[in-house]
Amino acid sequence: MASTRRRGGNAQTLRDYWTHGKGAAKIGWGAPGDFNRCVSQLSKYLGPRAKGYCALRHHAATGMWTAQHAKALRGGRKR
């Protein structure tokens, strides 16, 4: 019988931390500048991949992609 123990990695734990945990509190999802704060925090760990990872975390945390969120913060107006 196969073991139910997960091997290696803690990807889900990290996703939870950055989406809903203490990492999310550092980022302040939903507030202006949240994506840039995420990239700043995670670049030291992920390098250039931080932008993609932060886009995914932003969507998971707010339900909106970054461009949708920016547009909503501007009241639907273009830049």
Side-chain angles (χ1 to χ4, degrees):
M1 177 178 229
S3 171
T4 57
R5 183 173 161 250
R6 294 179 72 174
R7 294 177 189 250
N10 55 358
Q12 187 59 48
T13 301
L14 288 171
R15 281 191 293 269
D16 291 343
Y17 177 84
W18 290 111
T19 306
H20 306 291
K22 290 182 180 181
K26 294 178 187 179
I27 294 166
W29 293 118
D34 54 359
F35 178 76
N36 291 331
R37 283 189 297 278
C38 180
V39 172
S40 176
Q41 288 285 323
L42 292 174
S43 287
K44 54 189 158 195
Y45 307 111
L46 299 175
R49 296 176 300 154
K51 289 183 180 180
Y53 188 80
C54 288
L56 294 172
R57 294 303 101 228
H58 185 281
H59 188 263
T62 67
M64 290 186 275
W65 294 105
T66 54
Q68 292 171 314
H69 186 220
K71 187 175 180 180
L73 289 174
R74 291 190 308 269
R77 296 181 313 274
K78 291 185 178 183
R79 271 185 154 178

